[in-house]
Amino acid sequence: MQETFDWLYDRSLNRQTKGLNLYNLIISEQNILLAYRIIKTNTGSKTAGTDKLTISDFKMKNKQQFIQEIRESLVNYRPQTVRRVEIPKPNGKTRPLGIPTMRDRIIQQMFKQILEPICEARFYKHSYGFRPNRSTEHALSRCNFIAYHSKCHYVVDVDIKGFFDNVNHTRLLHQLYTIGIMDKRVLAIIFKMLKAPIQGIGIPDKRTPQGGILSPLLSNVVLNDLDWWVANQWENFKSRHPYKEIRSMYGALKTTNLKELHLIRYADDFKIFYQFS
């Protein structure tokens, strides 16, 4: 599948995703089998959803039958109820976690594998949470670089309260379309995933449940507009005057009333470094 992922990344980078049949890629045999293998090796595969099934109940005795069952479940897809658990936090409070059934986890992984390269091509380079080949260490390294090299010693520290529980579904679908996910059949199924009933609560009118395979990617899609808006205030400032080097443009910007600022984001936590004078 790596060649397909690279091809999707390049198409997205060049704004050429319109007309792509993403649904067929999602239900391809190779993509389904890859999703199954990834879920199987995940430590959470032994955690059951509301249907009490774990990955042990999904042993692939007949490969073609398994693939056919997954495809058929997507024809008129109805996500199963999400199991809700409360995870203790260091401050004594709890964090709600949604655990989809094993079938829905496999399906979400199938979608994630195809959507991720398209989104990655459009994501801001200095967001580090829930992204391939990125970690907290990369975010800390960027913070140190900005503080010592760019001399930005003032920091605004932001944590979006209740971010995952307040994601607007309609706006999210629009953002997915804008970022390059234009297959309407895929968007329709994602909408159904967002509306999966939650145990003890019912059908949500907003939120992306923490614990879902697809939720981290969707959260980055939601905040990608913020990333680029901040970046365009300085780092990627769109000047009408052509400059041979980016450093020359920054030098010119320092003669204006604009403030040098840099954003580093990890999930819903982010910092904006800036110079006061």
mmCIF file of all heavy atoms in Angstrom, residues 1-5 22-39 60 63-64 66-68 70-71 106 109-114:
data_model
loop_
_atom_site.group_PDB
_atom_site.id
_atom_site.type_symbol
_atom_site.label_atom_id
_atom_site.label_comp_id
_atom_site.label_asym_id
_atom_site.label_seq_id
_atom_site.Cartn_x
_atom_site.Cartn_y
_atom_site.Cartn_z
ATOM 1 N N MET A 1 0.809 -1.218 0.000
ATOM 2 C CA MET A 1 0.000 0.000 0.000
ATOM 3 C C MET A 1 0.847 1.275 0.000
ATOM 4 O O MET A 1 0.321 2.354 -0.223
ATOM 5 C CB MET A 1 -0.920 0.013 1.224
ATOM 6 C CG MET A 1 -2.047 -0.991 1.184
ATOM 7 S SD MET A 1 -3.194 -0.703 -0.179
ATOM 8 C CE MET A 1 -3.901 0.870 0.281
ATOM 9 N N GLN A 2 2.157 1.161 0.261
ATOM 10 C CA GLN A 2 2.972 2.359 0.391
ATOM 11 C C GLN A 2 2.983 3.193 -0.887
ATOM 12 O O GLN A 2 2.965 4.430 -0.835
ATOM 13 C CB GLN A 2 4.409 1.985 0.784
ATOM 14 C CG GLN A 2 5.262 3.180 1.193
ATOM 15 C CD GLN A 2 4.663 3.946 2.355
ATOM 16 O OE1 GLN A 2 4.341 3.380 3.399
ATOM 17 N NE2 GLN A 2 4.475 5.258 2.180
ATOM 18 N N GLU A 3 3.000 2.536 -2.037
ATOM 19 C CA GLU A 3 2.968 3.274 -3.297
ATOM 20 C C GLU A 3 1.670 4.071 -3.425
ATOM 21 O O GLU A 3 1.672 5.219 -3.910
ATOM 22 C CB GLU A 3 3.109 2.316 -4.481
ATOM 23 C CG GLU A 3 4.512 1.746 -4.648
ATOM 24 C CD GLU A 3 4.641 0.910 -5.914
ATOM 25 O OE1 GLU A 3 3.686 0.894 -6.723
ATOM 26 O OE2 GLU A 3 5.691 0.280 -6.086
ATOM 27 N N THR A 4 0.568 3.482 -2.989
ATOM 28 C CA THR A 4 -0.723 4.182 -3.017
ATOM 29 C C THR A 4 -0.706 5.377 -2.079
ATOM 30 O O THR A 4 -1.173 6.470 -2.437
ATOM 31 C CB THR A 4 -1.862 3.223 -2.614
ATOM 32 O OG1 THR A 4 -1.909 2.137 -3.539
ATOM 33 C CG2 THR A 4 -3.204 3.935 -2.603
ATOM 34 N N PHE A 5 -0.144 5.200 -0.883
ATOM 35 C CA PHE A 5 -0.079 6.298 0.078
ATOM 36 C C PHE A 5 0.782 7.438 -0.464
ATOM 37 O O PHE A 5 0.421 8.616 -0.328
ATOM 38 C CB PHE A 5 0.484 5.809 1.413
ATOM 39 C CG PHE A 5 -0.344 4.721 2.075
ATOM 40 C CD1 PHE A 5 0.244 3.811 2.938
ATOM 41 C CD2 PHE A 5 -1.700 4.621 1.835
ATOM 42 C CE1 PHE A 5 -0.503 2.821 3.542
ATOM 43 C CE2 PHE A 5 -2.466 3.632 2.442
ATOM 44 C CZ PHE A 5 -1.864 2.734 3.294
ATOM 45 N N LEU A 22 -11.923 7.573 -3.550
ATOM 46 C CA LEU A 22 -11.273 7.145 -2.313
ATOM 47 C C LEU A 22 -11.966 5.931 -1.708
ATOM 48 O O LEU A 22 -11.328 5.103 -1.049
ATOM 49 C CB LEU A 22 -11.254 8.298 -1.304
ATOM 50 C CG LEU A 22 -10.517 9.571 -1.744
ATOM 51 C CD1 LEU A 22 -10.598 10.628 -0.647
ATOM 52 C CD2 LEU A 22 -9.077 9.267 -2.086
ATOM 53 N N TYR A 23 -13.261 5.821 -1.927
ATOM 54 C CA TYR A 23 -14.005 4.695 -1.353
ATOM 55 C C TYR A 23 -13.461 3.365 -1.863
ATOM 56 O O TYR A 23 -13.281 2.416 -1.086
ATOM 57 C CB TYR A 23 -15.491 4.822 -1.691
ATOM 58 C CG TYR A 23 -16.336 3.722 -1.093
ATOM 59 C CD1 TYR A 23 -16.694 3.745 0.248
ATOM 60 C CD2 TYR A 23 -16.760 2.646 -1.878
ATOM 61 C CE1 TYR A 23 -17.461 2.726 0.804
ATOM 62 C CE2 TYR A 23 -17.531 1.628 -1.331
ATOM 63 C CZ TYR A 23 -17.876 1.677 0.009
ATOM 64 O OH TYR A 23 -18.626 0.655 0.551
ATOM 65 N N ASN A 24 -13.187 3.268 -3.158
ATOM 66 C CA ASN A 24 -12.644 2.025 -3.713
ATOM 67 C C ASN A 24 -11.279 1.694 -3.136
ATOM 68 O O ASN A 24 -10.938 0.521 -2.938
ATOM 69 C CB ASN A 24 -12.562 2.115 -5.235
ATOM 70 C CG ASN A 24 -13.911 1.855 -5.901
ATOM 71 O OD1 ASN A 24 -14.885 1.495 -5.236
ATOM 72 N ND2 ASN A 24 -13.985 2.060 -7.204
ATOM 73 N N LEU A 25 -10.475 2.718 -2.861
ATOM 74 C CA LEU A 25 -9.169 2.485 -2.228
ATOM 75 C C LEU A 25 -9.353 1.975 -0.804
ATOM 76 O O LEU A 25 -8.614 1.099 -0.350
ATOM 77 C CB LEU A 25 -8.346 3.776 -2.227
ATOM 78 C CG LEU A 25 -7.889 4.300 -3.592
ATOM 79 C CD1 LEU A 25 -7.199 5.649 -3.431
ATOM 80 C CD2 LEU A 25 -6.943 3.306 -4.270
ATOM 81 N N ILE A 26 -10.340 2.526 -0.113
ATOM 82 C CA ILE A 26 -10.588 2.135 1.279
ATOM 83 C C ILE A 26 -11.010 0.673 1.374
ATOM 84 O O ILE A 26 -10.567 -0.053 2.275
ATOM 85 C CB ILE A 26 -11.645 3.061 1.905
ATOM 86 C CG1 ILE A 26 -11.044 4.446 2.149
ATOM 87 C CG2 ILE A 26 -12.188 2.480 3.219
ATOM 88 C CD1 ILE A 26 -12.050 5.507 2.526
ATOM 89 N N ILE A 27 -11.864 0.212 0.440
ATOM 90 C CA ILE A 27 -12.363 -1.171 0.526
ATOM 91 C C ILE A 27 -11.517 -2.142 -0.295
ATOM 92 O O ILE A 27 -11.920 -3.285 -0.497
ATOM 93 C CB ILE A 27 -13.839 -1.255 0.070
ATOM 94 C CG1 ILE A 27 -13.981 -0.887 -1.416
ATOM 95 C CG2 ILE A 27 -14.725 -0.380 0.942
ATOM 96 C CD1 ILE A 27 -15.353 -1.200 -1.998
ATOM 97 N N SER A 28 -10.345 -1.701 -0.745
ATOM 98 C CA SER A 28 -9.474 -2.614 -1.483
ATOM 99 C C SER A 28 -8.967 -3.714 -0.553
ATOM 100 O O SER A 28 -8.846 -3.522 0.664
ATOM 101 C CB SER A 28 -8.290 -1.864 -2.085
ATOM 102 O OG SER A 28 -7.419 -1.395 -1.069
ATOM 103 N N GLU A 29 -8.700 -4.866 -1.120
ATOM 104 C CA GLU A 29 -8.244 -6.009 -0.320
ATOM 105 C C GLU A 29 -7.000 -5.684 0.481
ATOM 106 O O GLU A 29 -6.904 -5.992 1.672
ATOM 107 C CB GLU A 29 -7.979 -7.205 -1.250
ATOM 108 C CG GLU A 29 -7.464 -8.438 -0.516
ATOM 109 C CD GLU A 29 -7.273 -9.631 -1.432
ATOM 110 O OE1 GLU A 29 -8.080 -9.794 -2.374
ATOM 111 O OE2 GLU A 29 -6.321 -10.416 -1.206
ATOM 112 N N GLN A 30 -6.011 -5.035 -0.174
ATOM 113 C CA GLN A 30 -4.755 -4.729 0.510
ATOM 114 C C GLN A 30 -4.972 -3.786 1.691
ATOM 115 O O GLN A 30 -4.350 -3.946 2.752
ATOM 116 C CB GLN A 30 -3.757 -4.098 -0.481
ATOM 117 C CG GLN A 30 -3.337 -5.013 -1.613
ATOM 118 C CD GLN A 30 -4.259 -4.878 -2.824
ATOM 119 O OE1 GLN A 30 -5.400 -4.423 -2.703
ATOM 120 N NE2 GLN A 30 -3.759 -5.271 -3.985
ATOM 121 N N ASN A 31 -5.862 -2.810 1.512
ATOM 122 C CA ASN A 31 -6.097 -1.848 2.590
ATOM 123 C C ASN A 31 -6.823 -2.488 3.762
ATOM 124 O O ASN A 31 -6.513 -2.212 4.926
ATOM 125 C CB ASN A 31 -6.901 -0.659 2.067
ATOM 126 C CG ASN A 31 -6.924 0.501 3.035
ATOM 127 O OD1 ASN A 31 -5.871 1.006 3.430
ATOM 128 N ND2 ASN A 31 -8.112 0.935 3.432
ATOM 129 N N ILE A 32 -7.788 -3.362 3.479
ATOM 130 C CA ILE A 32 -8.518 -4.057 4.546
ATOM 131 C C ILE A 32 -7.577 -4.960 5.345
ATOM 132 O O ILE A 32 -7.597 -4.959 6.588
ATOM 133 C CB ILE A 32 -9.686 -4.884 3.964
ATOM 134 C CG1 ILE A 32 -10.738 -3.961 3.359
ATOM 135 C CG2 ILE A 32 -10.322 -5.765 5.042
ATOM 136 C CD1 ILE A 32 -11.852 -4.681 2.618
ATOM 137 N N LEU A 33 -6.736 -5.699 4.647
ATOM 138 C CA LEU A 33 -5.819 -6.618 5.328
ATOM 139 C C LEU A 33 -4.783 -5.859 6.147
ATOM 140 O O LEU A 33 -4.405 -6.289 7.246
ATOM 141 C CB LEU A 33 -5.128 -7.521 4.302
ATOM 142 C CG LEU A 33 -6.048 -8.500 3.553
ATOM 143 C CD1 LEU A 33 -5.254 -9.303 2.530
ATOM 144 C CD2 LEU A 33 -6.764 -9.428 4.524
ATOM 145 N N LEU A 34 -4.305 -4.722 5.630
ATOM 146 C CA LEU A 34 -3.351 -3.915 6.382
ATOM 147 C C LEU A 34 -3.997 -3.384 7.657
ATOM 148 O O LEU A 34 -3.385 -3.403 8.733
ATOM 149 C CB LEU A 34 -2.846 -2.755 5.524
ATOM 150 C CG LEU A 34 -1.906 -1.760 6.217
ATOM 151 C CD1 LEU A 34 -0.634 -2.470 6.698
ATOM 152 C CD2 LEU A 34 -1.550 -0.603 5.290
ATOM 153 N N ALA A 35 -5.236 -2.908 7.558
ATOM 154 C CA ALA A 35 -5.952 -2.407 8.735
ATOM 155 C C ALA A 35 -6.112 -3.511 9.784
ATOM 156 O O ALA A 35 -5.914 -3.277 10.977
ATOM 157 C CB ALA A 35 -7.318 -1.873 8.318
ATOM 158 N N TYR A 36 -6.449 -4.700 9.327
ATOM 159 C CA TYR A 36 -6.609 -5.835 10.253
ATOM 160 C C TYR A 36 -5.293 -6.136 10.981
ATOM 161 O O TYR A 36 -5.276 -6.330 12.199
ATOM 162 C CB TYR A 36 -7.072 -7.070 9.481
ATOM 163 C CG TYR A 36 -7.113 -8.330 10.316
ATOM 164 C CD1 TYR A 36 -8.176 -8.570 11.175
ATOM 165 C CD2 TYR A 36 -6.078 -9.267 10.242
ATOM 166 C CE1 TYR A 36 -8.211 -9.727 11.954
ATOM 167 C CE2 TYR A 36 -6.098 -10.415 11.009
ATOM 168 C CZ TYR A 36 -7.167 -10.647 11.868
ATOM 169 O OH TYR A 36 -7.183 -11.784 12.638
ATOM 170 N N ARG A 37 -4.189 -6.147 10.226
ATOM 171 C CA ARG A 37 -2.884 -6.460 10.842
ATOM 172 C C ARG A 37 -2.488 -5.400 11.863
ATOM 173 O O ARG A 37 -1.952 -5.722 12.937
ATOM 174 C CB ARG A 37 -1.809 -6.572 9.760
ATOM 175 C CG ARG A 37 -1.926 -7.819 8.894
ATOM 176 C CD ARG A 37 -0.647 -8.079 8.117
ATOM 177 N NE ARG A 37 -0.364 -6.998 7.180
ATOM 178 C CZ ARG A 37 -0.789 -6.974 5.916
ATOM 179 N NH1 ARG A 37 -1.535 -7.965 5.452
ATOM 180 N NH2 ARG A 37 -0.468 -5.973 5.122
ATOM 181 N N ILE A 38 -2.753 -4.125 11.549
ATOM 182 C CA ILE A 38 -2.392 -3.047 12.474
ATOM 183 C C ILE A 38 -3.230 -3.125 13.747
ATOM 184 O O ILE A 38 -2.705 -2.996 14.861
ATOM 185 C CB ILE A 38 -2.568 -1.672 11.786
ATOM 186 C CG1 ILE A 38 -1.485 -1.495 10.714
ATOM 187 C CG2 ILE A 38 -2.511 -0.536 12.809
ATOM 188 C CD1 ILE A 38 -1.615 -0.233 9.898
ATOM 189 N N ILE A 39 -4.537 -3.340 13.605
ATOM 190 C CA ILE A 39 -5.400 -3.461 14.783
ATOM 191 C C ILE A 39 -5.006 -4.679 15.614
ATOM 192 O O ILE A 39 -5.004 -4.642 16.848
ATOM 193 C CB ILE A 39 -6.875 -3.552 14.364
ATOM 194 C CG1 ILE A 39 -7.334 -2.243 13.701
ATOM 195 C CG2 ILE A 39 -7.765 -3.870 15.559
ATOM 196 C CD1 ILE A 39 -7.281 -1.033 14.598
ATOM 197 N N MET A 60 -8.977 -14.618 11.251
ATOM 198 C CA MET A 60 -9.288 -14.709 9.827
ATOM 199 C C MET A 60 -9.148 -16.144 9.322
ATOM 200 O O MET A 60 -8.100 -16.544 8.818
ATOM 201 C CB MET A 60 -8.372 -13.763 9.033
ATOM 202 C CG MET A 60 -8.898 -13.419 7.655
ATOM 203 S SD MET A 60 -7.771 -12.306 6.783
ATOM 204 C CE MET A 60 -7.735 -10.899 7.855
ATOM 205 N N LYS A 63 -9.974 -15.634 4.428
ATOM 206 C CA LYS A 63 -9.619 -14.261 4.081
ATOM 207 C C LYS A 63 -10.675 -13.589 3.213
ATOM 208 O O LYS A 63 -11.111 -12.475 3.494
ATOM 209 C CB LYS A 63 -8.267 -14.232 3.370
ATOM 210 C CG LYS A 63 -7.776 -12.828 3.039
ATOM 211 C CD LYS A 63 -6.374 -12.848 2.436
ATOM 212 C CE LYS A 63 -6.391 -13.415 1.027
ATOM 213 N NZ LYS A 63 -5.074 -13.302 0.360
ATOM 214 N N GLN A 64 -11.107 -14.254 2.159
ATOM 215 C CA GLN A 64 -12.076 -13.652 1.243
ATOM 216 C C GLN A 64 -13.424 -13.414 1.908
ATOM 217 O O GLN A 64 -14.089 -12.408 1.644
ATOM 218 C CB GLN A 64 -12.236 -14.541 -0.004
ATOM 219 C CG GLN A 64 -10.995 -14.606 -0.883
ATOM 220 C CD GLN A 64 -10.492 -13.231 -1.306
ATOM 221 O OE1 GLN A 64 -11.288 -12.343 -1.631
ATOM 222 N NE2 GLN A 64 -9.182 -13.051 -1.306
ATOM 223 N N PHE A 66 -13.863 -12.802 5.101
ATOM 224 C CA PHE A 66 -13.653 -11.668 6.005
ATOM 225 C C PHE A 66 -13.732 -10.348 5.242
ATOM 226 O O PHE A 66 -14.416 -9.403 5.660
ATOM 227 C CB PHE A 66 -12.295 -11.799 6.697
ATOM 228 C CG PHE A 66 -11.917 -10.604 7.533
ATOM 229 C CD1 PHE A 66 -12.440 -10.431 8.799
ATOM 230 C CD2 PHE A 66 -11.036 -9.649 7.034
ATOM 231 C CE1 PHE A 66 -12.101 -9.321 9.566
ATOM 232 C CE2 PHE A 66 -10.692 -8.548 7.797
ATOM 233 C CZ PHE A 66 -11.225 -8.386 9.062
ATOM 234 N N ILE A 67 -13.053 -10.279 4.111
ATOM 235 C CA ILE A 67 -13.050 -9.067 3.287
ATOM 236 C C ILE A 67 -14.464 -8.744 2.806
ATOM 237 O O ILE A 67 -14.899 -7.584 2.846
ATOM 238 C CB ILE A 67 -12.091 -9.233 2.085
ATOM 239 C CG1 ILE A 67 -10.650 -9.290 2.584
ATOM 240 C CG2 ILE A 67 -12.269 -8.099 1.077
ATOM 241 C CD1 ILE A 67 -9.645 -9.698 1.522
ATOM 242 N N GLN A 68 -15.193 -9.771 2.381
ATOM 243 C CA GLN A 68 -16.553 -9.573 1.894
ATOM 244 C C GLN A 68 -17.467 -9.053 3.001
ATOM 245 O O GLN A 68 -18.310 -8.173 2.764
ATOM 246 C CB GLN A 68 -17.098 -10.885 1.320
ATOM 247 C CG GLN A 68 -18.447 -10.763 0.633
ATOM 248 C CD GLN A 68 -18.425 -9.807 -0.550
ATOM 249 O OE1 GLN A 68 -17.388 -9.631 -1.198
ATOM 250 N NE2 GLN A 68 -19.556 -9.179 -0.825
ATOM 251 N N ILE A 70 -16.613 -7.259 5.628
ATOM 252 C CA ILE A 70 -16.273 -5.862 5.900
ATOM 253 C C ILE A 70 -16.881 -4.965 4.826
ATOM 254 O O ILE A 70 -17.475 -3.914 5.115
ATOM 255 C CB ILE A 70 -14.743 -5.667 5.955
ATOM 256 C CG1 ILE A 70 -14.141 -6.363 7.187
ATOM 257 C CG2 ILE A 70 -14.385 -4.183 5.955
ATOM 258 C CD1 ILE A 70 -14.546 -5.738 8.512
ATOM 259 N N ARG A 71 -16.756 -5.368 3.584
ATOM 260 C CA ARG A 71 -17.319 -4.564 2.482
ATOM 261 C C ARG A 71 -18.834 -4.454 2.591
ATOM 262 O O ARG A 71 -19.405 -3.376 2.387
ATOM 263 C CB ARG A 71 -16.923 -5.184 1.139
ATOM 264 C CG ARG A 71 -15.460 -4.977 0.772
ATOM 265 C CD ARG A 71 -15.089 -5.754 -0.472
ATOM 266 N NE ARG A 71 -13.724 -5.487 -0.895
ATOM 267 C CZ ARG A 71 -13.066 -6.186 -1.826
ATOM 268 N NH1 ARG A 71 -13.676 -7.213 -2.431
ATOM 269 N NH2 ARG A 71 -11.820 -5.875 -2.149
ATOM 270 N N ILE A 106 -11.622 -1.621 13.005
ATOM 271 C CA ILE A 106 -10.994 -2.043 11.749
ATOM 272 C C ILE A 106 -11.410 -1.100 10.621
ATOM 273 O O ILE A 106 -10.574 -0.664 9.816
ATOM 274 C CB ILE A 106 -11.361 -3.500 11.418
ATOM 275 C CG1 ILE A 106 -10.726 -4.447 12.448
ATOM 276 C CG2 ILE A 106 -10.899 -3.869 10.010
ATOM 277 C CD1 ILE A 106 -11.202 -5.889 12.345
ATOM 278 N N GLN A 109 -9.718 2.243 10.942
ATOM 279 C CA GLN A 109 -8.315 2.131 10.533
ATOM 280 C C GLN A 109 -8.200 2.123 9.019
ATOM 281 O O GLN A 109 -7.276 2.722 8.449
ATOM 282 C CB GLN A 109 -7.705 0.853 11.123
ATOM 283 C CG GLN A 109 -6.250 0.626 10.772
ATOM 284 C CD GLN A 109 -5.323 1.679 11.346
ATOM 285 O OE1 GLN A 109 -5.556 2.212 12.425
ATOM 286 N NE2 GLN A 109 -4.257 1.988 10.617
ATOM 287 N N MET A 110 -9.128 1.466 8.325
ATOM 288 C CA MET A 110 -9.148 1.464 6.857
ATOM 289 C C MET A 110 -9.265 2.885 6.320
ATOM 290 O O MET A 110 -8.565 3.273 5.369
ATOM 291 C CB MET A 110 -10.325 0.624 6.357
ATOM 292 C CG MET A 110 -10.183 -0.871 6.553
ATOM 293 S SD MET A 110 -11.803 -1.726 6.452
ATOM 294 C CE MET A 110 -12.478 -1.069 4.930
ATOM 295 N N PHE A 111 -10.152 3.665 6.915
ATOM 296 C CA PHE A 111 -10.343 5.052 6.483
ATOM 297 C C PHE A 111 -9.108 5.892 6.793
ATOM 298 O O PHE A 111 -8.665 6.699 5.967
ATOM 299 C CB PHE A 111 -11.578 5.651 7.167
ATOM 300 C CG PHE A 111 -12.861 5.369 6.442
ATOM 301 C CD1 PHE A 111 -13.394 4.085 6.378
ATOM 302 C CD2 PHE A 111 -13.546 6.392 5.804
ATOM 303 C CE1 PHE A 111 -14.582 3.819 5.705
ATOM 304 C CE2 PHE A 111 -14.737 6.140 5.123
ATOM 305 C CZ PHE A 111 -15.245 4.847 5.069
ATOM 306 N N LYS A 112 -8.571 5.710 7.978
ATOM 307 C CA LYS A 112 -7.396 6.493 8.396
ATOM 308 C C LYS A 112 -6.227 6.301 7.429
ATOM 309 O O LYS A 112 -5.543 7.267 7.065
ATOM 310 C CB LYS A 112 -6.981 6.087 9.807
ATOM 311 C CG LYS A 112 -5.716 6.776 10.328
ATOM 312 C CD LYS A 112 -5.416 6.334 11.743
ATOM 313 C CE LYS A 112 -4.156 6.995 12.281
ATOM 314 N NZ LYS A 112 -2.932 6.462 11.655
ATOM 315 N N GLN A 113 -6.004 5.078 7.003
ATOM 316 C CA GLN A 113 -4.860 4.779 6.132
ATOM 317 C C GLN A 113 -4.935 5.528 4.807
ATOM 318 O O GLN A 113 -3.898 5.956 4.272
ATOM 319 C CB GLN A 113 -4.788 3.266 5.894
ATOM 320 C CG GLN A 113 -4.323 2.495 7.110
ATOM 321 C CD GLN A 113 -4.598 0.999 7.051
ATOM 322 O OE1 GLN A 113 -4.349 0.290 8.011
ATOM 323 N NE2 GLN A 113 -5.129 0.494 5.933
ATOM 324 N N ILE A 114 -6.122 5.709 4.275
ATOM 325 C CA ILE A 114 -6.285 6.401 2.995
ATOM 326 C C ILE A 114 -6.358 7.912 3.174
ATOM 327 O O ILE A 114 -5.825 8.679 2.356
ATOM 328 C CB ILE A 114 -7.541 5.883 2.264
ATOM 329 C CG1 ILE A 114 -7.398 4.385 1.952
ATOM 330 C CG2 ILE A 114 -7.793 6.673 0.984
ATOM 331 C CD1 ILE A 114 -6.186 4.021 1.107
#
